[in-house]
Amino acid sequence: MGIQDWDRIGMSVESSAKTLQRIAYVDRQLMRIEAGHVVARPEYEIKGALARLSSQDAEHHEQFRNRVKQLRMSTVAFDKCPDVSLNELMQTVLNSETTLCLLTALFEVIKPAQIAAIHAYQGKAQPLVDEPTLQIMKHQLIDREEQMDWGREALAHIRLTASEQEKDQAQRWKMYLEQLFAAAGGITGWEERAALDPALRITTKPFAMPQSSTRDSRFQTEVVKFQSIPLPDNAEGRFMTMMLSRYFEMSPAEGIAYVHVTTEGKPWSFYRDTARHMWDEVRHSWFGEAALRVKGYDVYQYANWTGWYDMTAQLFEGTEAYSHLTIAIEKAAMKYPPGKREEWEFCRDVVKDPLMTTFQDFDWADEVVHAGFGQRWMIEDVHGGDARAAQEEAERTVKKRTVYMEAQGEVTKNKLAGSLGGY
Protein backbone atom coordinates (compact mmCIF):
# COMPACT_ATOMS: atom_id res chain seq x y z
CA MET A 1 0.00 0.00 0.00
CA GLY A 2 2.99 2.31 -0.31
CA ILE A 3 3.68 2.64 3.44
CA GLN A 4 7.33 3.50 3.87
CA ASP A 5 9.67 3.70 6.88
CA TRP A 6 7.73 0.85 8.44
CA ASP A 7 10.63 0.14 10.82
CA ARG A 8 10.66 3.62 12.38
CA ILE A 9 10.24 3.52 16.17
CA GLY A 10 7.89 6.51 16.26
CA MET A 11 6.04 7.98 19.23
CA SER A 12 4.14 6.37 22.08
CA VAL A 13 0.36 6.52 22.26
CA GLU A 14 0.58 9.08 25.06
CA SER A 15 2.99 11.35 23.16
CA SER A 16 0.89 11.11 20.02
CA ALA A 17 -2.32 11.98 21.88
CA LYS A 18 -0.79 14.95 23.70
CA THR A 19 0.67 16.37 20.49
CA LEU A 20 -2.64 16.05 18.66
CA GLN A 21 -4.36 17.71 21.61
CA ARG A 22 -2.16 20.76 21.17
CA ILE A 23 -2.70 21.01 17.41
CA ALA A 24 -6.45 20.56 17.89
CA TYR A 25 -6.55 23.10 20.73
CA VAL A 26 -5.24 25.71 18.31
CA ASP A 27 -7.94 24.69 15.79
CA ARG A 28 -10.65 25.18 18.40
CA GLN A 29 -9.32 28.59 19.35
CA LEU A 30 -9.05 29.57 15.68
CA MET A 31 -12.69 28.56 15.18
CA ARG A 32 -13.73 31.03 17.89
CA ILE A 33 -11.34 33.79 16.80
CA GLU A 34 -12.54 33.60 13.21
CA ALA A 35 -16.20 33.57 14.27
CA GLY A 36 -15.71 36.67 16.42
CA HIS A 37 -14.00 38.57 13.64
CA VAL A 38 -16.74 37.67 11.13
CA VAL A 39 -18.58 40.46 12.92
CA ALA A 40 -15.68 42.69 13.93
CA ARG A 41 -14.07 42.99 10.47
CA PRO A 42 -15.88 45.39 8.11
CA GLU A 43 -14.53 43.99 4.82
CA TYR A 44 -17.38 41.98 3.32
CA GLU A 45 -15.35 39.30 1.55
CA ILE A 46 -13.19 38.75 4.62
CA LYS A 47 -16.29 38.25 6.77
CA GLY A 48 -17.41 35.43 4.52
CA ALA A 49 -13.99 33.84 4.30
CA LEU A 50 -13.57 33.88 8.08
CA ALA A 51 -16.86 32.00 8.44
CA ARG A 52 -15.59 29.33 6.09
CA LEU A 53 -12.28 29.11 7.95
CA SER A 54 -14.12 28.82 11.26
CA SER A 55 -16.21 25.89 10.03
CA GLN A 56 -13.19 24.14 8.52
CA ASP A 57 -11.15 24.55 11.68
CA ALA A 58 -14.07 23.15 13.70
CA GLU A 59 -14.01 20.06 11.48
CA HIS A 60 -10.24 19.70 11.90
CA HIS A 61 -10.69 19.83 15.67
CA GLU A 62 -13.51 17.27 15.48
CA GLN A 63 -11.33 14.84 13.50
CA PHE A 64 -8.49 15.01 16.00
CA ARG A 65 -10.93 14.83 18.92
CA ASN A 66 -12.32 11.57 17.61
CA ARG A 67 -8.85 10.18 16.89
CA VAL A 68 -7.51 11.02 20.34
CA LYS A 69 -10.35 9.03 21.94
CA GLN A 70 -8.88 6.04 20.12
CA LEU A 71 -5.49 6.86 21.68
CA ARG A 72 -6.75 6.39 25.25
CA MET A 73 -7.26 10.09 26.03
CA SER A 74 -10.69 10.93 27.39
CA THR A 75 -12.64 13.83 25.94
CA VAL A 76 -12.61 15.41 29.40
CA ALA A 77 -8.81 15.47 29.32
CA PHE A 78 -8.71 16.43 25.66
CA ASP A 79 -10.97 19.45 26.15
CA LYS A 80 -8.68 20.98 28.76
CA CYS A 81 -6.15 23.64 27.81
CA PRO A 82 -2.87 21.77 27.24
CA ASP A 83 -0.57 24.74 27.91
CA VAL A 84 -1.21 28.13 29.52
CA SER A 85 1.38 29.72 27.22
CA LEU A 86 -0.43 28.37 24.16
CA ASN A 87 -3.66 29.76 25.58
CA GLU A 88 -2.07 33.20 26.07
CA LEU A 89 -0.93 33.17 22.46
CA MET A 90 -4.38 32.36 21.10
CA GLN A 91 -6.18 34.83 23.37
CA THR A 92 -3.79 37.50 22.13
CA VAL A 93 -4.58 36.65 18.51
CA LEU A 94 -8.27 37.12 19.33
CA ASN A 95 -7.44 40.67 20.42
CA SER A 96 -6.09 41.64 16.97
CA GLU A 97 -7.26 45.23 16.50
CA THR A 98 -7.19 45.57 12.71
CA THR A 99 -7.85 43.37 9.72
CA LEU A 100 -4.19 43.55 8.74
CA CYS A 101 -3.10 42.51 12.24
CA LEU A 102 -5.60 39.63 12.27
CA LEU A 103 -4.60 38.28 8.87
CA THR A 104 -0.92 38.66 9.75
CA ALA A 105 -1.49 36.65 12.92
CA LEU A 106 -3.44 33.93 11.13
CA PHE A 107 -1.43 33.55 7.94
CA GLU A 108 2.09 34.53 8.93
CA VAL A 109 2.24 33.02 12.42
CA ILE A 110 -0.44 30.53 13.51
CA LYS A 111 -1.58 28.62 10.43
CA PRO A 112 1.93 28.18 8.95
CA ALA A 113 3.04 26.87 12.35
CA GLN A 114 0.15 24.38 12.37
CA ILE A 115 1.13 23.10 8.94
CA ALA A 116 4.75 22.79 10.08
CA ALA A 117 3.60 20.93 13.20
CA ILE A 118 1.63 18.45 11.09
CA HIS A 119 4.63 17.85 8.85
CA ALA A 120 6.80 17.37 11.94
CA TYR A 121 4.29 14.88 13.33
CA GLN A 122 4.23 13.00 10.03
CA GLY A 123 8.01 12.79 10.09
CA LYS A 124 8.11 11.42 13.62
CA ALA A 125 5.10 9.07 13.77
CA GLN A 126 5.39 5.32 13.22
CA PRO A 127 3.60 4.98 9.86
CA LEU A 128 2.02 1.57 10.52
CA VAL A 129 0.72 2.03 14.04
CA ASP A 130 -0.44 5.62 13.53
CA GLU A 131 -1.73 5.34 9.97
CA PRO A 132 -5.24 6.56 10.96
CA THR A 133 -3.79 9.87 12.20
CA LEU A 134 -1.54 10.25 9.17
CA GLN A 135 -4.51 9.67 6.87
CA ILE A 136 -6.46 12.43 8.65
CA MET A 137 -3.50 14.78 8.36
CA LYS A 138 -2.99 14.03 4.68
CA HIS A 139 -6.48 15.24 3.87
CA GLN A 140 -6.43 18.13 6.32
CA LEU A 141 -3.34 19.53 4.64
CA ILE A 142 -5.36 20.10 1.48
CA ASP A 143 -7.72 22.40 3.40
CA ARG A 144 -4.93 24.05 5.31
CA GLU A 145 -2.85 24.82 2.23
CA GLU A 146 -5.92 26.24 0.48
CA GLN A 147 -6.51 28.44 3.52
CA MET A 148 -2.94 29.70 3.21
CA ASP A 149 -3.39 30.42 -0.50
CA TRP A 150 -6.41 32.59 0.27
CA GLY A 151 -4.70 34.22 3.24
CA ARG A 152 -1.65 35.27 1.27
CA GLU A 153 -3.86 36.77 -1.43
CA ALA A 154 -6.00 38.60 1.13
CA LEU A 155 -2.94 39.97 2.92
CA ALA A 156 -1.49 41.27 -0.34
CA HIS A 157 -4.77 43.00 -1.13
CA ILE A 158 -5.11 44.59 2.32
CA ARG A 159 -1.53 45.84 2.23
CA LEU A 160 -2.18 47.71 -1.03
CA THR A 161 -4.27 50.29 0.82
CA ALA A 162 -2.68 50.07 4.27
CA SER A 163 -0.73 53.05 5.58
CA GLU A 164 2.89 52.74 6.63
CA GLN A 165 1.74 53.12 10.21
CA GLU A 166 -0.68 50.20 9.82
CA LYS A 167 2.00 48.07 8.22
CA ASP A 168 4.42 48.87 11.04
CA GLN A 169 1.74 48.02 13.61
CA ALA A 170 1.15 44.64 11.95
CA GLN A 171 4.88 43.89 11.85
CA ARG A 172 5.28 44.64 15.54
CA TRP A 173 2.20 42.49 16.21
CA LYS A 174 3.78 39.62 14.30
CA MET A 175 7.03 39.89 16.29
CA TYR A 176 5.12 39.88 19.57
CA LEU A 177 3.08 36.81 18.60
CA GLU A 178 6.23 34.99 17.50
CA GLN A 179 7.67 35.63 20.97
CA LEU A 180 4.54 34.21 22.59
CA PHE A 181 4.75 31.30 20.20
CA ALA A 182 8.35 30.58 21.25
CA ALA A 183 7.38 30.82 24.92
CA ALA A 184 4.85 28.01 24.34
CA GLY A 185 7.41 25.72 22.70
CA GLY A 186 5.60 25.98 19.39
CA ILE A 187 2.42 24.20 18.40
CA THR A 188 3.75 20.76 19.33
CA GLY A 189 5.59 21.85 22.46
CA TRP A 190 8.69 20.10 21.15
CA GLU A 191 10.71 23.27 20.65
CA GLU A 192 12.87 24.86 23.33
CA ARG A 193 10.90 27.48 25.18
CA ALA A 194 12.23 31.01 25.08
CA ALA A 195 11.49 33.80 27.53
CA LEU A 196 9.47 36.75 26.24
CA ASP A 197 11.43 39.92 25.57
CA PRO A 198 9.69 42.58 27.72
CA ALA A 199 10.47 45.22 25.11
CA LEU A 200 8.26 43.43 22.58
CA ARG A 201 5.22 43.04 24.83
CA ILE A 202 2.09 44.79 23.56
CA THR A 203 -0.81 45.61 25.84
CA THR A 204 -3.99 44.60 24.07
CA LYS A 205 -7.58 45.63 24.54
CA PRO A 206 -9.77 42.56 25.29
CA PHE A 207 -11.87 41.54 22.31
CA ALA A 208 -15.56 42.39 22.53
CA MET A 209 -18.33 41.69 20.06
CA PRO A 210 -19.64 44.91 18.42
CA GLN A 211 -23.10 46.13 19.35
CA SER A 212 -23.88 46.95 15.71
CA SER A 213 -22.95 45.40 12.38
CA THR A 214 -19.84 46.56 10.58
CA ARG A 215 -19.65 47.07 6.81
CA ASP A 216 -16.96 48.59 4.61
CA SER A 217 -17.36 51.87 2.70
CA ARG A 218 -18.95 50.25 -0.37
CA PHE A 219 -22.17 49.64 1.55
CA GLN A 220 -25.08 51.60 2.86
CA THR A 221 -26.94 49.77 5.62
CA GLU A 222 -30.38 49.67 7.19
CA VAL A 223 -31.77 47.85 10.21
CA VAL A 224 -35.31 47.44 8.86
CA LYS A 225 -35.37 44.99 5.99
CA PHE A 226 -36.44 46.40 2.58
CA GLN A 227 -37.31 49.76 4.14
CA SER A 228 -35.65 51.65 1.29
CA ILE A 229 -36.26 49.09 -1.47
CA PRO A 230 -39.73 49.40 -3.04
CA LEU A 231 -40.71 46.17 -4.79
CA PRO A 232 -43.86 45.45 -6.84
CA ASP A 233 -46.44 43.00 -5.49
CA ASN A 234 -46.15 40.50 -8.33
CA ALA A 235 -44.00 37.53 -9.38
CA GLU A 236 -41.16 39.78 -10.49
CA GLY A 237 -41.17 41.60 -7.17
CA ARG A 238 -41.28 38.35 -5.23
CA PHE A 239 -38.32 36.97 -7.19
CA MET A 240 -36.31 40.11 -6.49
CA THR A 241 -37.27 39.85 -2.82
CA MET A 242 -36.05 36.26 -2.78
CA MET A 243 -32.66 37.10 -4.34
CA LEU A 244 -32.17 40.02 -1.95
CA SER A 245 -33.29 37.95 1.04
CA ARG A 246 -30.58 35.40 0.26
CA TYR A 247 -28.06 38.20 -0.27
CA PHE A 248 -28.92 39.74 3.09
CA GLU A 249 -28.20 36.54 5.03
CA MET A 250 -24.79 37.86 6.00
CA SER A 251 -26.59 39.48 8.93
CA PRO A 252 -28.01 36.17 10.26
CA ALA A 253 -24.51 34.70 9.82
CA GLU A 254 -23.17 37.47 12.04
CA GLY A 255 -25.95 36.77 14.54
CA ILE A 256 -24.89 33.14 14.75
CA ALA A 257 -21.28 34.27 15.21
CA TYR A 258 -22.50 36.30 18.19
CA VAL A 259 -24.25 33.25 19.66
CA HIS A 260 -21.18 31.09 19.02
CA VAL A 261 -18.74 33.45 20.73
CA THR A 262 -20.84 34.62 23.66
CA THR A 263 -22.47 31.31 24.67
CA GLU A 264 -20.46 29.55 27.36
CA GLY A 265 -20.57 26.09 28.88
CA LYS A 266 -22.13 24.14 26.02
CA PRO A 267 -20.87 20.75 24.81
CA TRP A 268 -18.27 20.82 22.03
CA SER A 269 -20.84 19.78 19.42
CA PHE A 270 -22.80 23.02 19.98
CA TYR A 271 -19.82 25.07 18.81
CA ARG A 272 -19.19 22.77 15.87
CA ASP A 273 -22.86 23.05 14.83
CA THR A 274 -22.97 26.84 15.15
CA ALA A 275 -19.72 27.20 13.18
CA ARG A 276 -21.30 25.15 10.40
CA HIS A 277 -24.57 27.09 10.70
CA MET A 278 -22.73 30.41 10.42
CA TRP A 279 -20.88 29.29 7.28
CA ASP A 280 -24.12 28.03 5.73
CA GLU A 281 -25.70 31.45 6.14
CA VAL A 282 -22.69 33.07 4.48
CA ARG A 283 -23.06 30.62 1.60
CA HIS A 284 -26.71 31.62 1.32
CA SER A 285 -25.68 35.25 1.20
CA TRP A 286 -23.39 34.39 -1.66
CA PHE A 287 -26.26 32.54 -3.40
CA GLY A 288 -28.15 35.80 -3.51
CA GLU A 289 -25.15 37.87 -4.53
CA ALA A 290 -24.33 35.46 -7.36
CA ALA A 291 -27.94 35.49 -8.60
CA LEU A 292 -28.04 39.30 -8.58
CA ARG A 293 -24.67 39.67 -10.29
CA VAL A 294 -25.56 37.20 -13.05
CA LYS A 295 -28.56 39.38 -13.88
CA GLY A 296 -26.41 42.49 -14.01
CA TYR A 297 -27.49 44.18 -10.79
CA ASP A 298 -25.11 46.39 -8.84
CA VAL A 299 -25.22 44.70 -5.43
CA TYR A 300 -24.03 47.89 -3.71
CA GLN A 301 -27.04 49.93 -4.84
CA TYR A 302 -29.22 48.23 -2.24
CA ALA A 303 -28.95 49.15 1.44
CA ASN A 304 -27.41 46.07 3.09
CA TRP A 305 -29.65 44.67 5.81
CA THR A 306 -27.94 44.50 9.21
CA GLY A 307 -31.01 44.17 11.41
CA TRP A 308 -30.55 40.53 12.34
CA TYR A 309 -27.19 41.07 13.99
CA ASP A 310 -28.20 44.35 15.57
CA MET A 311 -31.24 42.86 17.29
CA THR A 312 -29.19 39.81 18.33
CA ALA A 313 -26.61 42.00 20.06
CA GLN A 314 -28.98 44.67 21.37
CA LEU A 315 -32.34 42.99 21.96
CA PHE A 316 -32.26 39.29 22.64
CA GLU A 317 -31.10 37.77 25.92
CA GLY A 318 -29.85 34.31 26.81
CA THR A 319 -31.12 31.69 24.40
CA GLU A 320 -33.57 34.01 22.63
CA ALA A 321 -31.39 34.79 19.60
CA TYR A 322 -30.85 31.16 18.61
CA SER A 323 -34.45 30.33 19.46
CA HIS A 324 -35.66 33.07 17.14
CA LEU A 325 -33.50 31.83 14.29
CA THR A 326 -33.92 28.07 14.56
CA ILE A 327 -37.48 27.76 15.88
CA ALA A 328 -39.35 30.94 14.88
CA ILE A 329 -37.77 31.11 11.42
CA GLU A 330 -36.06 27.94 10.20
CA LYS A 331 -38.31 25.32 11.79
CA ALA A 332 -41.33 27.30 10.57
CA ALA A 333 -39.84 27.29 7.04
CA MET A 334 -40.33 23.50 6.92
CA LYS A 335 -44.10 23.99 6.61
CA TYR A 336 -45.61 23.61 3.13
CA PRO A 337 -46.93 25.83 1.73
CA PRO A 338 -45.27 28.32 1.70
CA GLY A 339 -41.92 27.37 3.24
CA LYS A 340 -38.68 26.43 1.58
CA ARG A 341 -40.15 23.83 -0.71
CA GLU A 342 -42.59 26.35 -2.20
CA GLU A 343 -39.79 28.89 -2.71
CA TRP A 344 -37.88 26.28 -4.72
CA GLU A 345 -41.00 25.43 -6.75
CA PHE A 346 -41.60 29.14 -7.43
CA CYS A 347 -38.10 29.53 -8.91
CA ARG A 348 -38.44 26.31 -10.90
CA ASP A 349 -42.01 26.60 -12.16
CA VAL A 350 -42.98 30.28 -12.14
CA VAL A 351 -39.78 32.23 -12.73
CA LYS A 352 -38.03 29.29 -14.42
CA ASP A 353 -34.59 30.54 -13.41
CA PRO A 354 -32.18 27.55 -13.40
CA LEU A 355 -29.47 29.12 -11.22
CA MET A 356 -31.80 30.40 -8.54
CA THR A 357 -33.67 27.09 -8.63
CA THR A 358 -30.42 25.33 -7.72
CA PHE A 359 -29.71 27.87 -5.02
CA GLN A 360 -33.15 27.49 -3.46
CA ASP A 361 -32.91 23.70 -3.67
CA PHE A 362 -29.74 23.69 -1.57
CA ASP A 363 -31.02 26.48 0.67
CA TRP A 364 -33.98 24.21 1.47
CA ALA A 365 -31.62 21.28 2.21
CA ASP A 366 -29.52 23.46 4.53
CA GLU A 367 -32.59 24.71 6.38
CA VAL A 368 -33.55 21.12 7.17
CA VAL A 369 -30.15 20.77 8.85
CA HIS A 370 -30.67 24.04 10.72
CA ALA A 371 -34.11 23.00 11.93
CA GLY A 372 -32.30 19.96 13.33
CA PHE A 373 -29.96 22.29 15.22
CA GLY A 374 -33.03 23.95 16.71
CA GLN A 375 -34.42 20.57 17.75
CA ARG A 376 -31.10 19.61 19.38
CA TRP A 377 -30.05 22.86 21.06
CA MET A 378 -33.35 24.59 21.76
CA ILE A 379 -36.04 21.94 22.19
CA GLU A 380 -33.93 19.15 23.67
CA ASP A 381 -31.05 20.97 25.37
CA VAL A 382 -32.65 24.20 26.62
CA HIS A 383 -36.25 23.03 27.10
CA GLY A 384 -35.63 19.39 28.01
CA GLY A 385 -37.59 18.08 25.03
CA ASP A 386 -40.64 20.29 25.64
CA ALA A 387 -41.49 21.45 22.11
CA ARG A 388 -44.39 23.57 23.34
CA ALA A 389 -42.14 25.54 25.72
CA ALA A 390 -39.63 26.05 22.93
CA GLN A 391 -42.37 27.31 20.61
CA GLU A 392 -43.67 29.69 23.26
CA GLU A 393 -40.18 31.17 23.68
CA ALA A 394 -39.89 31.53 19.91
CA GLU A 395 -43.23 33.33 19.74
CA ARG A 396 -42.08 35.74 22.45
CA THR A 397 -39.00 36.56 20.38
CA VAL A 398 -41.21 37.38 17.37
CA LYS A 399 -43.14 39.87 19.49
CA LYS A 400 -39.92 41.42 20.78
CA ARG A 401 -38.62 41.69 17.23
CA THR A 402 -41.83 43.40 16.09
CA VAL A 403 -41.50 46.08 18.75
CA TYR A 404 -37.79 46.52 18.04
CA MET A 405 -38.26 46.92 14.30
CA GLU A 406 -41.13 49.33 14.75
CA ALA A 407 -38.88 51.43 16.95
CA GLN A 408 -36.22 51.31 14.25
CA GLY A 409 -38.56 52.92 11.75
CA GLU A 410 -40.88 50.17 10.46
CA VAL A 411 -43.65 51.88 8.46
CA THR A 412 -46.15 49.14 7.57
CA LYS A 413 -47.17 45.79 8.99
CA ASN A 414 -46.77 44.29 5.52
CA LYS A 415 -43.07 45.09 5.48
CA LEU A 416 -42.64 43.53 8.91
CA ALA A 417 -44.46 40.39 7.78
CA GLY A 418 -42.20 40.26 4.73
CA SER A 419 -39.07 40.46 6.82
CA LEU A 420 -40.31 37.61 9.02
CA GLY A 421 -41.15 35.42 6.02
CA GLY A 422 -37.70 33.89 5.95
CA TYR A 423 -35.26 36.10 7.74
Side-chain angles (χ1 to χ4, degrees):
M1 295 291 292
I3 295 176
Q4 300 176 352
D5 299 329
W6 45 265
D7 57 347
R8 180 190 299 160
I9 300 302
M11 295 180 286
S12 67
V13 167
E14 182 181 12
S15 294
S16 299
K18 287 183 175 179
T19 305
L20 293 177
Q21 181 192 20
R22 290 176 67 97
I23 299 172
Y25 176 80
V26 173
D27 280 322
R28 181 163 182 168
Q29 296 305 309
L30 284 171
M31 171 196 71
R32 184 170 186 267
I33 290 165
E34 290 152 351
H37 283 275
V38 164
V39 182
R41 298 299 105 222
E43 299 88 355
Y44 192 80
E45 293 80 4
I46 288 174
K47 285 179 180 292
L50 288 172
R52 186 184 187 194
L53 295 174
S54 181
S55 183
Q56 286 182 344
D57 289 337
E59 293 307 309
H60 296 157
H61 180 88
E62 170 76 2
Q63 290 166 357
F64 284 143
R65 193 172 194 266
N66 290 333
R67 175 56 179 153
V68 163
K69 285 189 289 186
Q70 300 167 355
L71 297 175
R72 302 197 301 265
M73 179 182 281
S74 70
T75 52
V76 173
F78 178 82
D79 288 342
K80 293 179 179 178
C81 173
D83 189 321
V84 292
S85 296
L86 201 58
N87 179 65
E88 182 183 4
L89 168 66
M90 299 310 297
Q91 292 305 307
T92 303
V93 173
L94 175 63
N95 297 340
S96 298
E97 292 184 1
T98 68
T99 301
L100 182 55
C101 282
L102 176 69
L103 297 185
T104 298
L106 295 182
F107 297 105
E108 292 192 349
V109 182
I110 305 301
K111 289 181 182 290
Q114 276 195 299
I115 290 173
I118 288 173
H119 284 305
Y121 188 103
Q122 290 174 319
K124 197 171 182 179
Q126 213 291 337
L128 284 173
V129 300
D130 206 10
E131 194 276 341
T133 302
L134 298 178
Q135 185 72 2
I136 290 169
M137 288 179 163
K138 176 181 177 181
H139 291 280
Q140 279 192 9
L141 282 171
I142 297 172
D143 286 345
R144 295 179 189 274
E145 292 290 357
E146 287 181 350
Q147 288 186 3
M148 285 299 302
D149 289 342
W150 178 84
R152 284 187 285 262
E153 183 179 355
L155 268 170
H157 181 80
I158 292 294
R159 284 180 176 136
L160 287 175
T161 56
S163 67
E164 291 303 316
Q165 182 179 357
E166 290 170 331
K167 292 176 184 177
D168 180 65
Q169 179 190 23
Q171 184 60 29
R172 286 186 285 109
W173 188 239
K174 177 182 177 182
M175 293 171 63
Y176 176 44
L177 294 176
E178 287 173 339
Q179 286 270 311
L180 293 177
F181 186 83
I187 298 289
T188 60
W190 297 345
E191 301 170 21
E192 184 177 351
R193 294 175 185 250
L196 177 65
D197 182 352
L200 293 175
R201 182 173 288 279
I202 298 174
T203 301
T204 61
K205 182 180 179 181
F207 177 81
M209 298 292 281
Q211 286 299 293
S212 299
S213 291
T214 57
R215 292 289 185 274
D216 61 61
S217 60
R218 294 170 294 175
F219 294 91
Q220 296 180 4
T221 63
E222 61 185 13
V223 175
V224 180
K225 196 174 186 181
F226 297 124
Q227 187 175 30
S228 65
I229 308 174
L231 296 168
D233 186 19
N234 54 26
E236 181 182 355
R238 187 187 177 197
F239 185 57
M240 190 66 183
T241 299
M242 194 175 295
M243 290 190 291
L244 287 169
S245 292
R246 296 292 78 77
Y247 178 43
F248 292 157
E249 288 188 50
M250 185 64 78
S251 192
E254 292 174 310
I256 299 166
Y258 185 93
V259 169
H260 177 98
V261 173
T262 62
T263 302
E264 299 180 353
K266 292 291 187 181
W268 154 248
S269 52
F270 171 84
Y271 301 101
R272 181 192 180 198
D273 285 350
T274 50
R276 161 66 191 273
H277 196 168
M278 172 180 60
W279 166 227
D280 284 352
E281 302 300 350
V282 169
R283 288 172 44 246
H284 297 173
S285 175
W286 289 350
F287 293 175
E289 181 176 354
L292 290 165
R293 287 186 181 275
V294 162
K295 295 189 175 302
Y297 290 105
D298 175 7
V299 297
Y300 306 116
Q301 71 178 293
Y302 305 106
N304 203 259
W305 181 53
T306 60
W308 190 282
Y309 178 80
D310 289 5
M311 71 180 176
T312 296
Q314 300 169 19
L315 173 69
F316 291 138
E317 300 174 351
T319 61
E320 289 179 338
Y322 209 51
S323 174
H324 186 67
L325 175 60
T326 60
I327 305 299
I329 303 299
E330 291 173 321
K331 187 173 183 292
M334 296 301 101
K335 296 178 182 178
Y336 176 77
K340 289 296 175 179
R341 175 181 171 181
E342 193 275 334
E343 288 184 352
W344 167 66
E345 291 174 342
F346 173 78
C347 291
R348 182 193 64 182
D349 302 332
V350 179
V351 182
K352 298 181 180 180
D353 185 283
L355 182 61
M356 197 61 184
T357 298
T358 299
F359 287 155
Q360 287 299 140
D361 200 6
F362 279 83
D363 178 77
W364 175 18
D366 289 340
E367 297 297 87
V368 173
V369 175
H370 303 163
F373 293 160
Q375 176 71 31
R376 183 180 309 145
W377 298 115
M378 292 294 104
I379 296 175
E380 296 174 7
D381 183 58
V382 173
H383 295 284
D386 189 339
R388 178 177 294 180
Q391 186 61 41
E392 288 174 353
E393 180 185 32
E395 290 171 359
R396 289 194 296 271
T397 68
V398 172
K399 292 177 181 178
K400 289 182 71 170
R401 175 179 177 170
T402 301
V403 173
Y404 177 83
M405 289 300 174
E406 286 177 346
Q408 293 293 327
E410 188 74 17
V411 292
T412 67
K413 291 183 179 180
N414 287 337
K415 281 187 176 180
L416 180 60
S419 69
L420 289 173
Y423 293 92

